[in-house]
Amino acid sequence: DSQRVASKPAQPVPAVVQQIAVTPAALIECFTQALDKLSVTWEIAESPITARLKLVSGLRDEGTRRVLSWSAENLPVGGILEALDVLDVAVTTPDLRAMPVKLRPQDPAGRKELLAGIETVQVGITGADAAIAETGTLFLASGPGRPLLVSQMPRQHLVLLPASRLFSSLESWLAVQRQAGAVLGRPGCLTALTGIGRSQDIELHPSVGIHGPRKRHVIIVQEL
C-alpha cells in the first residue's frame, strides 16, 4: 500500500521590494519632461538667490506692476516681496476673511466691488508643498497667508518649487507623509494642479485658460 505523506502547508513567499535609487538630477529630468508635455514652462535655479533673481528679473522685463502673492513667510524663497518692493511692484496677499461683507453668489454687485482691486492682477506667485515627477502635478495647500485664488485668478501663475519637495510618484510622497506622521495639507484645502486649464465647447474646440491661468511657470530651486 502506498503511504500518503501529509504535505506541510505552503509558507507565504516574502515579497521582494526593489528599492530603486532615484537621484535628484533624474527626478528633475523626469519632472521637466512631464511639464513639457503639459505646456508648463520651467527653469532651474541653482540657489535661492538665483531663484529670486530669475523671478524678479522676469517680472521686470515683462513690465509687471502688480502681483498677487502668498505672504512672505509662506514662500519657500526669502526676499521675494522685498525685491519686488524695491522695483515698485505692488504686492497683494488677498484675505477674503477680512472683507467687511460676506461674498455671496447672489450679490454680484458687492462681489464685484470687493474683488475689483485684485481681479485685474495678471500674475500670481506661490510656492508648492510637493510635486510629482512622473505626472508633473503640483500640490498646494491653502490657508492663512496662502489664498487659493492666488493660483487660480491671475492669468499667469509663477511657482517656486524647492527640489527637495519633488517626489517620483504620488505613492512615494504619501509614504513619506505617513512615515513622518504628517497631516496632509493645512487648514483649508489641498489642491492638485496638473498643467493649465483646458476646456472644450459643444463642438469640441479646445480652449486654454478659460478656467484659471493661461500660463504656469515653475522655478525649481536647488540647495533648499
Side-chain angles (χ1 to χ4, degrees):
D1 296 337
S2 60
Q3 295 182 343
R4 303 180 67 180
V5 179
S7 60
K8 295 182 179 180
Q11 298 296 319
V13 178
V16 178
V17 179
Q18 183 179 8
Q19 298 293 335
I20 301 176
V22 180
T23 65
L27 273 179
I28 291 176
E29 182 178 3
C30 179
F31 181 58
T32 53
Q33 289 176 353
L35 293 182
D36 288 338
K37 295 177 182 178
L38 296 168
S39 301
V40 175
T41 58
W42 57 270
E43 56 187 320
I44 298 174
E46 294 75 17
S47 69
I49 294 177
T50 305
R52 183 168 61 246
L53 289 174
K54 286 179 177 291
L55 186 146
V56 173
S57 299
L59 294 177
R60 180 196 59 199
D61 294 343
E62 293 175 1
T64 302
R65 308 310 307 163
R66 301 172 63 205
V67 301
L68 300 183
S69 175
W70 282 2
S71 61
E73 61 270 20
N74 282 290
L75 292 175
V77 175
I80 295 289
L81 304 190
E82 293 83 354
L84 293 175
D85 184 60
V86 170
L87 293 178
D88 200 26
V89 176
V91 179
T92 300
T93 300
D95 186 357
L96 300 184
R97 300 169 304 165
M99 291 183 173
V101 179
K102 183 178 180 180
L103 299 180
R104 300 182 301 174
Q106 61 266 39
D107 296 333
R111 189 180 182 90
K112 182 177 181 180
E113 180 181 354
L114 290 173
L115 294 177
I118 58 176
E119 65 183 357
T120 58
V121 179
Q122 297 295 307
V123 178
I125 303 172
T126 74
D129 295 272
I132 309 304
E134 65 182 10
T135 61
T137 302
L138 298 160
F139 284 95
L140 282 66
S142 63
R146 39 168 67 212
L148 179 62
L149 61 81
V150 175
S151 63
Q152 301 294 317
M153 180 177 288
R155 309 308 287 162
Q156 181 179 359
H157 178 205
L158 303 179
V159 185
L160 293 162
L161 173 68
S164 59
R165 299 181 187 177
L166 184 57
F167 297 85
S168 59
S169 65
L170 178 61
E171 291 76 13
S172 64
W173 177 50
L174 294 176
V176 170
Q177 294 290 311
R178 287 192 293 267
Q179 185 176 9
V183 177
L184 294 180
R186 294 177 173 82
C189 65
L190 187 66
T191 302
L193 302 174
T194 304
I196 53 180
R198 298 176 183 273
S199 60
Q200 293 181 328
D201 60 19
I202 195 171
E203 295 180 352
L204 301 181
H205 296 145
S207 299
V208 175
I210 297 299
H211 306 289
R214 296 182 61 87
K215 178 180 179 181
R216 181 163 286 121
H217 182 74
V218 180
I219 300 178
I220 304 166
V221 189
Q222 298 175 315
E223 297 182 11
L224 259 180

